[in-house]
């Protein structure tokens, strides 16, 4: 499902900065898309694509900090690197507390920005991978029948087949059948595998 | 022929005034009898001499007897009569005496009465006098008490109490505080009545002397001036006088109080100095803000230059340099470098053009700039901004940085006032041209507003209703606006919130 390559989404109202930073990032081998303001960025499907945000703090209409807040509220985990024209400490603190990856001052060295951007893309890829695993686990879990789920929950709790049979008022062989089918459906090869899948699925459910 | 007369010892009059007459009468009788006897004397003599015939003798004796008897009778009669007369006289005299005595007694009694009355009168007068004296003494005591009280008051108050006599043309009384404040003896007034004016600071002397002359006319005085003490120290004095009228309503004295207001003056000066310092501090803050703004503006082209250059370098290192891309990047670097230079030149123009001077200002443009500075705060507080700027507003006279600062303070104050208030939060900034030749700026918020209690203190330094507020913004803003020849005040809005208004003079119009 992740067809598009990881992209750096660059939002800055200054066309020169946008152009220059874009050139720099492209020279670093990255795919870059530039936006003049937050609204322009939000109007596209960029939010759902893999990548990271390089954001100017001070922009008309919606500032970088406002956009960060909105993305977090919408549950978008995309890593954000802020660029600022003046070192405003309280603003930097706010941004970092809200989960920004970094807050770098203009003018900055290209290396620093590139390092941070690579870092951000790695984090995003990892996040997306985990998310994919969580989603897969949840999908697999949803294939189980209610009875299979009941049996599986007890297996995960470490109960013996005998106990499960007594509790659910079924024969031990029935328990064994449910258990084998559930393992097959979850594509789990061991109990540890099963528990990991369950945990991922629970994480997804909690989101 | 006089007879010794028994004179009454207590009377000047003869007690017997009839006696000589009486004797004369008897003498006459004897003379008559002697003549009669002489006429018939020879017989008698014969009788007498020679044993006269008895009849004749008898006759003679009879005659003599008759005569004697007559004489005796007459004598007796006279005697009796005399006694009677004497008695009468005595009686009369006694009566008269008694009457005199009575009169004398009466007179004496009257006298005595009068003396008694007079005495009583005198006693009464004396008593009255004594009472009066007693009353007088009491009054005197009371007077001296009141005088004492007055003296105590006059001599112990920190102010100098003085009384000036119009007719006397000099100060009649000066309380001892004079010595303490003026550092000169009170005695010097009596010796040199114009001593006080010599103590007045030379800069104030003429004005004070004029006030002194006016005082004699009007009976009123209210002057503040400096005095120089003999030790060279300068004190500020507030001198006030009030007319004292006589029964006819004429001013004959002026009573006054002169107080040492040096400490008060110093405090005022200090407050003013502090306000100036605060304004300077605030100015500095704005300068820092402007500098930070400038830094941001400069950092944009700098960031672009660095990024272009590094991109170019990266391309060159990667050995895949497209000359067109490199040319483009280098062109952009040049362009951004020029842009940075432009920003700096613009700043230099700004600084050189307005070195803290009052010039013609476009108030609307200034307010737009202020709004730009406050943009972030407006957004953060979720405040909707309404700009209602008057068309064709003539330029005002003022120092742009100062006025920007005051307007920014007011805008921030309005935003902060709305922080905890409900929605909608609206800040309206309005400009109006007034008939009076002033431009009016109004900043209306929809915040909590203020109570009448705090209304009076809004503009006092260090007064704040905001937690953590320094309470300087409004007082500094007011001092700034007033330093620009304007006024700043606040009114509550009819629905909610507060409006702050300030006026500034229109450029090129005469204002007092």
């Amino acid at each position: 499902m992740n067809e598009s390559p990881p992209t750096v989404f660059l939002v800055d109202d200054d066309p020169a900065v946008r152009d220059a930073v874009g050139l720099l990032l492209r020279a670093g081998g990255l795919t870059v898309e530039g936006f003049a303001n937050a609204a322009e960025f939000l109007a596209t499907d960029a939010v759902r694509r893999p990548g990271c945000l390089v954001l100017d703090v001070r922009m008309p209409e919606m500032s970088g900090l406002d956009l960060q807040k909105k993305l977090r509220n919408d549950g978008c985990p995309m890593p954000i690197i802020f660029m600022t024209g003046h070192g405003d400490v309280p603003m930097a603190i706010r941004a970092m507390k809200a989960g920004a990856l970094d807050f770098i001052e203009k003018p900055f060295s290209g290396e620093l920005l590139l390092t941070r951007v690579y870092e951000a893309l790695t984090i995003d890829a990892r996040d997306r991978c985990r998310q994919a695993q969580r989603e897969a686990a949840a999908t697999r879990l949803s294939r189980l029948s209610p009875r299979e789920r009941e049996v599986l929950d007890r297996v995960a709790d470490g109960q013996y087949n005998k106990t499960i049979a007594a509790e659910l008022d079924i024969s031990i062989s029935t328990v064994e059948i449910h258990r084998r089918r559930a393992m097959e459906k979850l594509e789990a090869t061991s109990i540890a595998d099963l528990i990991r899948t369950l945990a991922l699925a629970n994480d997804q459910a909690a989101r | 022929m006089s007879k010794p007369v028994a004179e009454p010892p207590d009377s000047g009059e003869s007690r017997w005034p009839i006696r000589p007459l009486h004797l004369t009468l008897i003498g006459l009788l004897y003379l008559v009898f002697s003549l009669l006897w002489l006429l018939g004397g020879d017989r008698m003599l014969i009788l007498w001499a020679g044993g006269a015939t008895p009849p004749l003798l008898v006759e003679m004796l009879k005659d003599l007897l008759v005569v004697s008897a007559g004489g005796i009778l007459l004598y007796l009669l006279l005697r009796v009569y005399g006694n009677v007369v004497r008695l009468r006289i005595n009686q009369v005299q006694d009566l008269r005496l008694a009457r005199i005595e009575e009169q004398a007694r009466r007179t004496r009694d009257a006298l005595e009465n009068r003396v008694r009355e007079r005495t009583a009168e005198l006693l009464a007068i004396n008593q009255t006098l004594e009472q009066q004296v007693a009353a007088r003494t009491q009054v005197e005591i009371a007077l001296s008490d009141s005088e004492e009280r007055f003296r105590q008051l006059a001599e112990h108050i920190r102010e100098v109490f003085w009384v000036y006599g119009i007719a006397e043309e000099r100060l009649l009384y000066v309380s001892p505080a004079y010595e303490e404040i003026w550092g000169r003896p009170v005695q010097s007034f009596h010796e040199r009545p114009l001593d006080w004016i010599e103590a007045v600071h030379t800069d104030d002397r003429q004005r004070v002397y004029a006030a002194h002359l006016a005082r004699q006319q009007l009976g009123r005085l209210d002057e503040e001036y400096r005095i120089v003490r003999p030790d060279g120290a300068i004190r500020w004095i507030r001198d006030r006088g009030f007319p004292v009228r006589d029964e006819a309503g004429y001013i004959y004295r002026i009573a006054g109080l002169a107080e040492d207001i040096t400490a008060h003056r110093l405090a005022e000066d200090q407050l003013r100095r502090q306000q100036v310092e605060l304004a300077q501090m605030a100015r500095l803050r704005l300068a820092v803000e402007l500098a930070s703004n400038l830094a941001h503006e400069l950092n944009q082209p700098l960031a672009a230059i660095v990024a272009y250059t590094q991109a170019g370098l990266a391309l060159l290192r990667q050995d895949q340099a497209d000359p067109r891309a490199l040319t483009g990047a280098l062109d952009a670097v040049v362009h951004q470098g020029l842009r940075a230079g432009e920003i700096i030149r613009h700043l230099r123009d700004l600084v050189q053009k307005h070195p803290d001077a009052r010039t013609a200002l476009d108030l609307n443009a200034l307010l737009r700039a202020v709004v730009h500075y406050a943009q972030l705060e407006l957004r953060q507080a979720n405040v909707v901004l309404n700009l209602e700027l008057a068309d064709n507003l003539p330029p005002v006279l003022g120092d742009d940085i100062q006025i920007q600062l005051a307007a920014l303070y007011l805008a921030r104050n309005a935003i902060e006032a709305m922080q905890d208030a409900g929605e909608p939060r609206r800040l309206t900034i309005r400009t109006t041209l007034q008939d009076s030749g002033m431009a009016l700026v109004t900043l209306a918020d929809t915040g909590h507003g203020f109570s009448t209690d705090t209304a009076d203190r809004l503009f006092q330094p260090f007064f704040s209703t905001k937690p953590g507020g320094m309470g300087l913004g409004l007082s500094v803003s007011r001092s700034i606006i007033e330093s620009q020849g304007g006024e700043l005040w606040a009114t509550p809005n009819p629905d909610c919130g507060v409006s702050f208004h300030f006026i500034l003079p229109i450029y090129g119009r005469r204002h007092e």
Side-chain angles (χ1 to χ4, degrees), chain A residues 14 19 27 58 85 106 110, chain B residues 292-293 299-300 308 310 318 339:
Chain A
D14 190 320
D19 187 39
R58 195 190 271 201
K106 291 178 190 172
Chain B
S292 139
N293 224 36
N299 280 336
Q300 293 293 101
Y308 277 128
Q310 287 189 323
Q318 286 161 14
R339 178 183 163 197

Side-chain angles (χ1 to χ4, degrees), chain B residues 417-438:
Chain B
M418 288 187 280
Q419 240 159 23
D420 306 320
E423 309 263 348
R425 297 172 194 159
R426 198 179 307 110
L427 172 63
T428 307
I429 301 182
R430 195 180 301 122
T431 53
T432 331
L433 177 62
Q434 290 193 313
D435 296 336
S436 57
M438 303 289 269

Side-chain angles (χ1 to χ4, degrees), chain B residues 330-360:
Chain B
L330 285 174
D331 274 344
V333 166
V334 171
H335 188 74
Q336 292 304 308
L338 292 175
R339 178 183 163 197
E342 196 66 32
I343 292 166
I344 291 170
R345 191 159 42 253
H346 180 72
L347 174 80
R348 202 188 294 126
D349 283 355
L350 191 81
V351 172
Q352 280 175 347
K353 227 192 272 173
H354 315 295
D356 183 29
R358 293 172 71 185
T359 49

Side-chain angles (χ1 to χ4, degrees), chain B residues 115-360:
Chain B
V115 166
R116 243 196 317 278
E117 279 167 20
R118 189 78 187 134
T119 307
E121 229 170 81
L122 277 172
L123 275 172
I125 288 170
N126 199 27
Q127 210 169 354
T128 315
L129 267 173
E130 268 172 14
Q131 278 169 357
Q132 277 177 351
V133 166
R136 185 104 185 203
T137 312
Q138 268 187 344
V139 166
E140 266 168 19
I141 289 169
L143 251 176
S144 84
D145 265 7
S146 115
E147 254 177 37
E148 175 65 15
R149 273 200 294 274
F150 165 76
R151 202 181 56 78
Q152 281 176 353
L153 182 71
E155 298 190 357
H156 288 92
I157 51 172
R158 286 185 38 78
E159 291 81 5
V160 176
F161 178 72
W162 52 262
V163 179
Y164 182 85
I166 301 265
E168 294 87 345
E169 287 192 339
R170 65 179 178 86
L171 282 158
L172 303 177
Y173 175 81
V174 177
S175 67
Y178 175 78
E179 298 191 352
E180 200 195 313
I181 297 177
W182 262 257
R184 289 160 184 255
V186 166
Q187 193 57 35
S188 65
F189 267 112
H190 305 295
E191 290 152 13
R192 299 160 65 199
L194 283 175
D195 187 64
W196 66 274
I197 193 89
E198 283 167 28
V200 175
H201 194 280
T202 44
D203 291 355
D204 297 341
R205 200 173 286 168
Q206 207 169 348
R207 175 170 60 84
V208 171
Y209 196 70
H212 164 73
L213 294 179
R215 166 178 81 172
Q216 274 155 298
Q217 303 243 303
L218 305 167
R220 288 203 174 275
L221 174 78
D222 192 350
E223 280 293 316
E224 287 184 13
Y225 54 85
R226 283 162 292 176
I227 55 160
V228 183
R229 289 162 56 93
D231 58 15
I234 289 177
R235 296 262 183 112
W236 272 100
I237 303 294
R238 182 176 184 195
D239 203 350
R240 278 171 296 171
F242 312 96
V244 181
R245 293 169 193 278
D246 61 13
E247 285 162 3
Y250 290 106
I251 301 168
Y252 77 112
R253 278 180 185 176
I254 301 158
L257 270 183
E259 58 186 309
D260 183 351
I261 54 163
T262 312
H264 181 68
R265 274 276 182 160
L266 285 178
E268 265 183 3
D269 283 354
Q270 201 176 351
L271 187 69
R272 214 168 294 133
R273 254 200 313 280
Q274 273 173 353
Q275 276 180 343
V276 169
E277 275 168 26
L278 285 173
Q280 277 168 350
M281 243 167 65
R283 239 182 105 92
L284 189 70
R285 245 181 80 177
L286 186 74
V288 166
E289 221 157 288
L290 291 175
S292 139
N293 224 36
L294 180 79
H296 181 253
E297 267 190 76
L298 274 176
N299 280 336
Q300 293 293 101
L302 284 177
I305 289 168
V306 173
Y308 277 128
T309 314
Q310 287 189 323
L313 285 170
L315 290 173
L316 282 170
R317 280 196 204 102
Q318 286 161 14
D319 220 11
Q320 40 171 273
D322 177 353
R324 274 174 305 178
L326 278 177
T327 312
L330 285 174
D331 274 344
V333 166
V334 171
H335 188 74
Q336 292 304 308
L338 292 175
R339 178 183 163 197
E342 196 66 32
I343 292 166
I344 291 170
R345 191 159 42 253
H346 180 72
L347 174 80
R348 202 188 294 126
D349 283 355
L350 191 81
V351 172
Q352 280 175 347
K353 227 192 272 173
H354 315 295
D356 183 29
R358 293 172 71 185
T359 49

Side-chain angles (χ1 to χ4, degrees), chain A residues 2-207:
Chain A
N2 300 337
E3 308 87 10
S4 76
T7 310
V8 182
F9 302 106
L10 177 61
V11 189
D12 194 314
D13 61 326
D14 190 320
V17 173
R18 212 162 56 232
D19 187 39
V21 175
L23 194 64
L24 180 71
L25 294 172
R26 277 184 207 105
L30 295 161
T31 308
V32 182
E33 282 179 37
F35 304 92
N37 54 57
E40 216 174 87
F41 169 73
L42 290 171
T44 66
D45 66 342
V47 185
R48 285 180 297 281
R49 285 155 54 197
C52 71
L53 257 173
V54 175
L55 254 183
D56 186 25
V57 175
R58 195 190 271 201
M59 288 185 296
E61 306 298 323
M62 189 185 241
S63 77
L65 291 172
D66 293 338
L67 179 58
Q68 180 192 31
K69 200 168 153 190
K70 179 171 166 45
L71 292 177
R72 291 292 170 269
N73 289 344
D74 294 351
C76 173
M78 189 180 278
I80 299 173
I81 299 156
F82 279 103
M83 298 181 295
T84 178
H86 55 170
D88 185 335
V89 174
M91 218 184 267
I93 291 171
R94 268 183 61 198
M96 298 303 284
K97 274 190 174 168
L101 186 69
D102 207 350
F103 196 92
I104 55 181
E105 276 183 57
K106 291 178 190 172
F108 43 79
S109 89
E111 269 169 64
L112 176 67
L113 181 67
L114 281 169
T115 312
R116 286 287 179 256
V117 167
Y118 291 139
E119 211 176 299
L121 291 177
T122 312
I123 290 168
D124 182 62
R126 197 187 59 208
D127 281 355
R128 280 173 188 278
C129 177
R130 281 202 189 138
Q131 179 62 20
Q133 286 175 341
R134 280 195 295 269
E135 280 169 8
T139 314
R140 290 199 290 267
L141 201 62
S142 67
R143 293 186 203 136
L144 301 185
S145 70
R147 204 48 152 179
E148 283 165 355
R149 183 70 201 261
E150 279 177 345
V151 171
L152 202 63
D153 282 345
R154 284 168 177 75
V155 171
D157 274 355
Q159 291 183 13
Y160 294 111
N161 289 353
K162 197 167 63 180
T163 325
I164 299 168
E167 208 171 284
L168 298 176
D169 200 16
I170 49 175
S171 69
I172 293 175
S173 59
T174 315
V175 171
E176 280 170 350
I177 292 165
H178 281 313
R179 184 171 164 169
R180 196 175 58 245
R181 278 206 192 134
M183 295 284 276
E184 278 167 10
K185 281 182 182 173
L186 292 182
E187 297 162 29
T189 51
S190 65
I191 296 293
D193 210 7
L194 166 78
I195 288 166
R196 191 160 49 240
T197 308
L198 271 175
L200 282 168
N202 282 342
D203 267 5
Q204 179 63 17
R207 277 175 175 266

